[in-house]
């Protein structure tokens, strides 16, 4: 093995918490790594089943690593609504408290429902679930060999706390914020990433190194750092030219000042409201909206990925871009994928899809009602 090369995880098998429609699982399939995702939203689950992704429909709090004995890699992107800048911010305000609860979870190995109730918002509590799984697996004698966690940048302080705690549990870690356009995604999305490997396997782990230029407004990509590939534009991804996009979000806090991007630039962050963005042709024809397939392409999902259910824009906006996820997985698992293969991955057809019986969809909705009625989750630990 060349000096500096990370030893690969032997026979990696992923369990993906909060799996959504499958951003990370699509990346895992590209890399030939088996993955099973846990997801409790029936719409995202319908998409996963149509795509043939291995899935478990349910609440991650009702499971643990013992239910997936073959999995040796834990991945997770907990819900971000309370942490995101676009949300109400309750998670950001509770961040210090969540960090303290993470310390308590490592010390005590259990947190009672009464303790967690102090966080008020159930979604905020979910960010501690990956740590619960990691500790349960380690205490059960089957520690995960690798870990990948992702969230909005506001969660970086919590990931730094978790990295410190994982260091006391026998892991080496790396934490940082990655810019998606630096990895060939046609979008300026930023994600806080934590990766970890068992110290008994390796003495260090790193985040993936950028392959593409950083996007800077007003700087043409042919004037960027020539050591990197040019960033990918919306026009490159969609095969369209001569349009601009007006964002649904205001700029600088002014809802009337909605930012615009030209076809030769990367998209702004694709959110669950991507369908509200206006696509404005230069020739003055009526404004358009991105189709689901086009919004998925801006996230680097395959053009024929089988979106299903309702609220598809939200599914797309919630997902990690598969191309970014593939870079992160490759780095932490030590797979050594050739850089030129990433363009091949994104260009692939997803292939045959699976249609779901209507009665099964109805049962999913019934199951979700039952899950959602559980006001007091089981203790974490």
């Amino acid at each position: 093995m060349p000096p500096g090369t990370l030893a690969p995880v032997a026979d990696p098998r992923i369990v993906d918490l909060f799996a959504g429609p499958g951003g990370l699982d699509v990346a895992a399939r590209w890399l030939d790594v088996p993955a099973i995702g846990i997801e409790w939203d029936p719409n995202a689950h319908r998409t996963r089943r149509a795509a043939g992704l291995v899935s478990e429909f349910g609440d991650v709090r009702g499971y643990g690593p013992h239910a997936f004995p073959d999995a040796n890699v834990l991945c997770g992107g907990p819900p971000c609504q309370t942490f995101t800048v676009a949300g109400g911010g309750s998670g950001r305000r509770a961040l210090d408290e969540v960090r303290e609860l993470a310390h308590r979870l490592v010390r005590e190995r259990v947190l009672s429902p009464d303790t967690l109730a102090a966080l008020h918002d159930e979604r905020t509590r979910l960010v501690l679930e990956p740590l619960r799984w990691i500790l349960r697996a380690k205490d059960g004698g089957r520690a995960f060999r690798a870990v990948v966690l992702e969230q909005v940048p506001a969660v970086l302080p919590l990931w730094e706390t978790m990295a410190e705690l994982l260091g006391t549990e026998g892991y080496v870690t790396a934490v940082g914020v990655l810019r998606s356009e630096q990895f060939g995604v046609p979008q300026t999305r930023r994600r806080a990433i934590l990766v970890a490997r068992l110290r008994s396997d390796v003495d260090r782990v790193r985040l993936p190194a950028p392959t593409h230029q950083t996007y800077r407004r007003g700087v043409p990509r042919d004037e960027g750092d020539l050591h990197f590939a040019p960033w990918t534009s919306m026009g490159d991804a969609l095969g369209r030219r001569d349009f601009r996009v007006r964002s649904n979000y205001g700029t600088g806090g002014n809802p009337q000042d909605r930012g615009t991007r030209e076809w030769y630039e990367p998209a702004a962050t694709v959110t669950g409201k991507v369908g509200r963005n206006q696509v404005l042709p230069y020739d003055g024809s009526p404004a358009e909206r991105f189709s689901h397939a086009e919004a998925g392409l801006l996230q680097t999902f395959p053009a024929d990925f089988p979106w299903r259910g309702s609220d598809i824009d939200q599914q797309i906006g919630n997902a990690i871009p598969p191309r970014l996820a593939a870079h992160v997985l490759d780095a932490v698992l030590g797979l050594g994928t050739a850089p030129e293969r990433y363009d091949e991955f994104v260009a692939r057809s997803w292939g045959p899809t699976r249609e779901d019986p209507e009665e099964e969809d109805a049962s999913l909705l019934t199951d979700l009602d039952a899950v959602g009625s559980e006001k007091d989750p089981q203790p974490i630990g």
Side-chain angles (χ1 to χ4, degrees):
M1 180 179 299
T5 301
L6 187 66
V9 172
D11 191 24
R13 295 175 178 273
I14 293 171
V15 58
D16 183 16
L17 312 184
F18 316 102
L24 187 135
D25 305 66
V26 168
R29 181 172 292 188
W30 286 344
L31 297 170
D32 296 321
V33 177
I36 181 169
I38 305 174
E39 177 53 48
W40 79 331
D41 176 71
N43 296 305
H45 194 71
R46 280 191 65 188
T47 294
R48 295 181 60 85
R49 286 181 304 160
L53 297 172
V54 182
S55 304
E56 183 74 24
F57 178 70
D59 184 341
V60 299
R61 294 170 297 179
Y63 297 87
H66 60 278
F68 305 91
D70 294 334
N72 56 7
V73 178
L74 178 75
C75 298
C80 71
Q81 287 89 342
T82 62
F83 295 101
T84 180
V85 173
S90 61
R92 297 196 304 279
R93 290 190 295 272
L95 202 53
D96 287 344
E97 188 173 1
V98 175
R99 292 166 74 184
E100 174 55 32
L101 288 177
H103 279 279
R104 285 186 58 182
L105 180 55
V106 170
R107 288 195 308 268
E108 302 171 14
R109 275 356 204 214
V110 65
L111 293 176
S112 71
D114 289 341
T115 300
L116 292 170
L119 285 176
H120 305 294
D121 192 298
E122 228 172 299
R123 295 171 299 176
T124 302
R125 307 173 201 172
L126 291 173
V127 79
L128 292 171
E129 277 297 305
L131 182 58
R132 176 180 78 88
W133 280 62
I134 293 166
L135 297 176
R136 277 269 176 91
K138 179 175 182 288
D139 293 347
R142 281 204 301 261
F144 290 109
R145 317 307 295 187
V147 174
V148 174
L149 303 180
E150 61 92 16
Q151 250 280 9
V152 294
V155 178
L156 184 65
L158 177 59
W159 280 178
E160 291 171 340
T161 295
M162 282 200 187
E164 173 190 340
L165 293 171
L166 291 179
T168 69
E169 298 292 326
Y171 287 90
V172 291
T173 62
V175 180
V177 174
L178 300 184
R179 301 173 63 106
S180 60
E181 85 272 16
Q182 290 187 306
F183 297 90
V185 179
Q187 175 192 168
T188 53
R189 186 187 196 96
R190 298 167 68 241
R191 301 303 286 180
I193 304 291
L194 181 156
V195 295
R197 286 282 302 269
L198 277 179
R199 189 178 292 113
S200 58
D201 292 344
V202 297
D203 59 7
R204 51 92 185 165
V205 66
R206 295 175 183 167
L207 295 173
T211 54
H212 289 64
Q213 297 168 1
T214 302
Y215 168 75
R216 292 183 175 85
R217 192 73 184 259
V219 178
R221 59 182 178 178
D222 57 2
E223 295 180 13
D225 188 338
L226 298 181
H227 292 93
F228 298 96
W231 37 258
T232 305
S233 72
M234 290 185 285
D236 295 331
L238 303 181
R240 299 177 59 181
R241 301 292 187 269
D242 300 331
F243 67 91
R244 66 171 53 91
V245 177
R246 180 180 296 145
S247 172
N248 176 62
Y249 290 107
T251 300
N254 180 2
Q256 303 305 315
D257 183 15
R258 301 192 183 274
T260 61
R261 294 278 177 97
E262 309 294 332
W263 66 267
Y264 49 80
E265 299 175 285
T269 302
V270 172
T271 72
K273 294 180 173 61
V274 63
R276 299 184 187 178
N277 292 348
Q278 291 184 307
V279 181
L280 305 170
Y282 285 171
D283 64 8
S285 13
E288 306 167 13
R289 306 287 179 175
F290 286 127
S291 68
H292 294 145
E294 288 173 327
L297 282 168
L298 296 178
Q299 283 274 59
T300 66
F301 279 91
D304 59 346
F305 195 71
W307 301 104
R308 295 289 188 272
S310 61
D311 211 2
I312 290 175
D313 287 348
Q314 194 67 53
Q315 293 183 48
I316 295 170
N318 285 349
I320 184 172
R323 181 164 182 151
L324 176 61
H327 277 277
V328 175
L329 286 175
D330 189 79
V332 71
L333 299 181
L335 302 178
T337 303
E340 58 270 16
R341 293 206 62 200
Y342 286 88
D343 288 336
E344 171 200 329
F345 292 152
V346 174
R348 281 182 187 173
S349 168
W350 187 249
T353 58
R354 191 178 147 234
E355 296 299 332
D356 305 309
E358 290 183 6
E359 58 271 21
E360 189 176 355
D361 294 335
S363 71
L364 283 179
L365 293 171
T366 302
D367 290 345
L368 181 66
D369 289 339
V371 171
S373 68
E374 296 175 4
K375 301 301 183 185
D376 295 316
Q378 294 298 311
I380 287 185

